[in-house]
Amino acid sequence: MRWSSAVVLSLLHLCLSKPLSRRWDDIAEKHSWAEIPRGWEYYSDAPADHMFEMRVALKQNRIDDLIANLMETSDPGHRKYGQHLTAEEAEALVAPRPDSVEAVDAWLEDHGISPDNVSHRTGGGHWVVVRVSVAQAERMLGTKYNVYRHAASSEHVVRAMSYSLPRELHSHVDVVAPTTYFGTVRSMRKTSFLQPNAPTLEHDMSQELHVDAAVPSSCSSTITPSCLRGLYNTTNYVPKATSVNMLGVAGYLGEYANRADLQTFFRTFRTDAVGSSYSTVLVNGGLDDQSNPGVEANLDIQYTTGMSYPTPNIYYSTGGSPPFTPDSQTPSNTNEPYLDWLNFILAQSTIPQTISTSYGDDEQTVPPDYANTVCNLFAQLGARGTTAFFSSGDSGVGGGDCRTNDGTNRRLFQPAFPASCPFVTAVGGTTRVNPEVAVSFSGGGFSRYFARPSYQNTAVSAYLTSLGSTNSGLYNATGRAYPDLAAQGQGFQVVIGGVVQSVAGTSASSPTVAGVFALLNDVRLAAGKASLGFINPLIYANGAASTTSCLVPILDAALMDSLLGLDGTLSLVWVPPISRNCSKSFETRD
Ligand SMILES: *[C@@H]1O[C@H](CO)[C@@H](O)[C@H](O)[C@H]1NC(C)=O
Ligand SMILES: *[C@@H]1O[C@H](CO)[C@@H](O)[C@H](O)[C@H]1NC(C)=O
Ligand SMILES: *[C@@H]1O[C@H](CO)[C@@H](O)[C@H](O)[C@H]1NC(C)=O
Ligand SMILES: *[C@@H]1O[C@H](CO)[C@@H](O)[C@H](O)[C@H]1NC(C)=O
């Protein structure tokens, strides 16, 4: 009796429900975590009716061509050097194949999402954005969304521990977000810190001395634009291409650059720039709160403008959607800061030729599929002719306790992302003058996701030979090594809320280097040449061979001169990836 009624019920069920479309039944896991990412805790189940924007990144059909093109156009010896792509040319290369579009549309339709429901397609159609409920997303991705709380910041996000896709879609889809990437703007470690006990300058002694080539001894403990301009030999260069050249700073939710502080900074440290400012571009709901100056934002903008004046500077304030409030009924939480900013900037027909970003995550906390998608977007930025600088991080060979999050809890050096992406230029930190040496906290290492790019083969092989067996097993010798360049990173004099404070971090190094390269771009643009674009092949090709010391001058003066037509050159240094005393780094990391 029980048996037959069960049969009847299931037959009834089969008749009443929509026939299952076999095409999408066979699902396979796309990414999963072994444990809840460090720093986060389960808070509650996600409300089934919570709506959010799901982004589906379709496989970029000709991404290999885009990368090959990037390597040619950034190789100073290649006939295509400097032939950057327009937005349309780049989008043609990253556009998905028609059958990828067809497959994803059919899958969405199967879940009741018609093409009309797709709110937008960006990046040559490579991103599909649809508004879905948690319940719907859970059905589509064979997953369970929860609310997770970040203990340190009390921020809440809606994320999943794993997600799946129909097997057929794996060859068409790079990543779906938000799913398993937990890093959010507030947990992304800003790579700067105040130095409460460090000396500060009330006014700029180094500027008063009017030093041209020589660098005053005060620059050993306190860094000002005059110190950096002296050290990197840009003091006498007067920018000429200011109608076309631009320098951008990428900032994220809650970090606001302050215009009044910039004037105080100029009055104190760069008097010829008084009265000039930067422009602010708000991205995806970003704000411009002038009552809330950010240490990171002020450091970034004061030193990019301080180095590159009168080159126009832009501060991008990227908001993302408001953070998820667990009690709110209408929250919208995507919080994918890199993606928001990258999709915005890549859609512009004109992009600043130099961009500095001082944020990052431990690479292992970024899902590989997500990291790969973001890294390819940086390749696209380079192909468009932009140099993207990232600070290399402030935790030496790794953050936290260096334990792996793959369930094995091993202790390994932990690289940082996006510094580990081979298509960005990672900037490490130095300190002191004559000689300038690596600063202890400067981040560096070898990617566990990205293979060593050929442009750094010679430099890294030589470095590994000199390293011998030291730290072997703790780092991935076949991975992409970083940083690529280094510059001063300690004792930076920054005006915050009207007061001069001393700030340290590779966050200081990245805007400094960006400022110098904005001037190099100025040289080229003023001469009617293309912007430098992706510089890694250039700087490694021109690097000195010596790896016996901790610091290797990477920019050869004569080569840079002939390349750029520049009188004299800058003296930035290369810090090999793990040049610090690593056993010490293990103990002193935050
Ligand atoms: C899709 O669009 C239709 C009509 O435009 C609308 O009625 C429906 O609610 C939308 N569905 C979703 C999931 O947004
Ligand atoms: C080392 O890097 C390669 C990429 O070159 C990667 O495929 C591999 O998984 C990494 N190995 C380890 C142990 O992290
Ligand atoms: C600095 O630049 C000047 C020209 O502005 C040049 O003459 C000088 O050689 C450069 N110094 C160094 C150390 O490169
Ligand atoms: C590293 O630092 C420790 C303690 O600070 C020291 O004993 C050791 O000799 C250092 N090792 C190297 C290779 O410099």
Side-chain angles (χ1 to χ4, degrees):
M1 204 45 194
R2 273 165 67 216
W3 165 246
S4 60
S5 76
V7 169
V8 170
L9 274 176
S10 66
L11 281 174
L12 200 65
H13 177 78
L14 274 179
C15 297
L16 291 180
S17 68
K18 201 174 129 211
L20 284 173
S21 42
R22 294 256 167 270
R23 187 177 179 190
W24 308 119
D25 278 358
D26 182 17
I27 69 165
E29 186 177 278
K30 192 79 171 67
H31 177 251
S32 71
W33 292 121
E35 52 194 54
I36 297 176
R38 220 74 44 94
W40 295 88
E41 61 199 22
Y42 169 85
Y43 178 82
S44 68
D45 289 6
D49 56 356
H50 167 63
M51 299 293 293
F52 68 95
E53 290 205 320
M54 181 196 278
R55 290 137 207 257
V56 182
L58 276 63
K59 203 141 252 144
Q60 304 174 312
N61 185 18
R62 296 173 61 201
I63 185 67
D64 293 344
D65 291 347
L66 181 116
I67 291 169
N69 179 79
L70 174 68
M71 291 306 161
E72 289 172 0
T73 56
S74 54
D75 171 0
H78 200 277
R79 65 180 168 79
K80 284 172 74 181
Y81 182 68
Q83 292 180 21
H84 308 308
L85 302 180
T86 62
E88 293 70 30
E89 289 166 342
E91 288 197 349
L93 291 177
V94 301
R97 283 203 317 260
D99 62 326
S100 297
V101 177
E102 185 279 327
V104 168
D105 281 355
W107 172 63
L108 292 174
E109 191 118 37
D110 190 59
H111 285 277
I113 301 165
S114 73
D116 302 342
N117 293 116
V118 174
S119 69
H120 54 279
R121 298 171 192 264
T122 59
H126 133 81
W127 288 95
V128 175
V129 183
V130 289
R131 213 170 151 68
V132 293
S133 67
V134 159
Q136 196 168 17
E138 287 179 343
R139 283 193 300 274
M140 296 167 75
L141 304 175
T143 186
K144 171 91 186 68
Y145 276 90
N146 294 314
V147 179
Y148 295 89
R149 181 176 172 276
H150 188 244
S153 66
S154 295
E155 184 178 349
H156 296 78
V157 298
V158 175
R159 292 293 187 275
M161 286 291 289
S162 70
Y163 77 102
S164 299
L165 282 175
R167 206 175 293 274
E168 183 189 331
L169 287 187
H170 282 236
S171 59
H172 297 298
V173 172
D174 278 334
V175 71
V176 181
T179 52
T180 53
Y181 174 48
F182 279 60
T184 70
V185 274
R186 268 174 235 173
S187 63
M188 281 162 76
R189 244 169 333 121
K190 295 175 290 186
T191 53
S192 74
F193 46 88
L194 287 170
Q195 297 180 274
N197 302 320
T200 53
L201 289 178
E202 236 88 291
H203 62 279
D204 191 1
M205 285 134 66
S206 48
Q207 185 163 286
E208 270 170 19
L209 292 172
H210 292 295
V211 197
D212 286 336
V215 178
S217 59
S218 65
C219 300
S220 273
S221 54
T222 46
I223 292 290
T224 65
S226 310
C227 292
L228 298 169
R229 295 170 73 213
L231 260 173
Y232 304 131
N233 203 23
T234 66
T235 311
N236 296 323
Y237 183 72
V238 181
K240 296 182 279 290
T242 53
S243 62
V244 286
N245 196 23
M246 289 185 288
L247 198 173
V249 171
Y252 293 98
L253 188 68
E255 275 286 340
Y256 308 112
N258 190 275
R259 284 182 281 277
D261 280 347
L262 183 64
Q263 291 312 310
T264 309
F265 179 81
F266 283 157
R267 279 196 300 275
T268 318
F269 300 116
R270 179 106 207 224
T271 48
D272 58 332
V274 169
S276 71
S277 196
Y278 57 91
S279 50
T280 303
V281 171
L282 305 180
V283 180
N284 203 24
L287 303 175
D288 181 20
D289 180 357
Q290 287 298 302
S291 68
N292 186 12
V295 175
E296 182 69 62
N298 273 8
L299 165 66
D300 289 353
I301 210 73
Q302 288 174 17
Y303 279 86
T304 54
T305 55
M307 293 303 289
S308 69
Y309 170 80
T311 305
N313 276 225
I314 299 173
Y315 184 78
Y316 295 94
S317 177
T318 302
S321 307
F324 180 79
T325 319
D327 304 319
S328 153
Q329 285 312 294
T330 53
S332 161
N333 173 47
T334 38
N335 276 350
E336 300 283 357
Y338 301 127
L339 293 186
D340 288 338
W341 183 79
L342 280 163
N343 280 320
F344 170 85
I345 202 83
L346 289 169
Q348 311 298 309
S349 56
T350 311
I351 303 177
Q353 294 85 350
T354 314
I355 288 176
S356 176
T357 311
S358 294
Y359 295 80
D361 282 321
D362 285 345
E363 187 187 65
Q364 69 164 356
T365 69
V366 184
D369 56 352
Y370 189 96
N372 201 48
T373 302
V374 168
C375 188
N376 284 344
L377 291 173
F378 285 119
Q380 196 177 333
L381 194 59
R384 295 279 303 277
T386 290
T387 316
F389 292 105
F390 273 84
S391 47
S392 71
D394 293 348
S395 308
V397 294
D401 57 7
C402 274
R403 298 282 179 193
T404 62
N405 62 0
D406 58 359
T408 66
N409 214 33
R410 281 167 303 159
R411 241 176 148 201
L412 297 175
F413 292 166
Q414 295 298 342
F417 179 83
S420 68
C421 165
F423 308 126
V424 306
T425 301
V427 183
T430 63
T431 188
R432 296 208 288 272
V433 295
N434 286 326
E436 190 172 352
V437 298
V439 65
S440 62
F441 56 73
S442 179
F446 291 79
S447 175
R448 291 183 185 278
Y449 290 176
F450 301 103
R452 182 197 304 162
S454 58
Y455 62 72
Q456 62 174 198
N457 260 342
T458 307
V460 175
S461 306
Y463 171 66
L464 288 175
T465 303
S466 74
L467 192 63
S469 60
T470 308
N471 297 317
S472 75
L474 291 172
Y475 66 93
N476 186 4
T478 65
R480 179 271 202 270
Y482 72 94
D484 303 298
L485 283 175
Q488 291 285 324
Q490 188 152 263
F492 276 56
Q493 305 296 289
V494 180
V495 177
I496 303 156
V499 179
V500 176
Q501 306 230 45
S502 206
V503 181
T506 53
S507 273
S509 315
S510 182
T512 299
V513 172
V516 172
F517 275 83
L519 299 180
L520 295 177
N521 270 326
D522 183 276
V523 175
R524 286 183 61 86
L525 295 169
K529 296 177 183 166
S531 60
L532 287 165
F534 179 53
I535 58 166
N536 291 13
L538 169 78
I539 61 180
Y540 283 93
N542 294 326
S546 160
T547 51
T548 51
S549 86
C550 178
L551 296 174
V552 182
I554 186 109
L555 295 178
D556 178 271
L559 275 163
M560 289 298 278
D561 274 5
S562 64
L563 190 72
L564 297 168
L566 182 66
D567 237 359
T569 190
L570 61 163
S571 53
L572 297 175
V573 291
W574 185 57
V575 182
I578 47 178
S579 57
R580 284 151 304 285
N581 182 333
C582 297
S583 59
K584 202 171 164 213
S585 299
F586 259 150
E587 290 148 27
T588 56
R589 238 173 294 103
D590 56 339

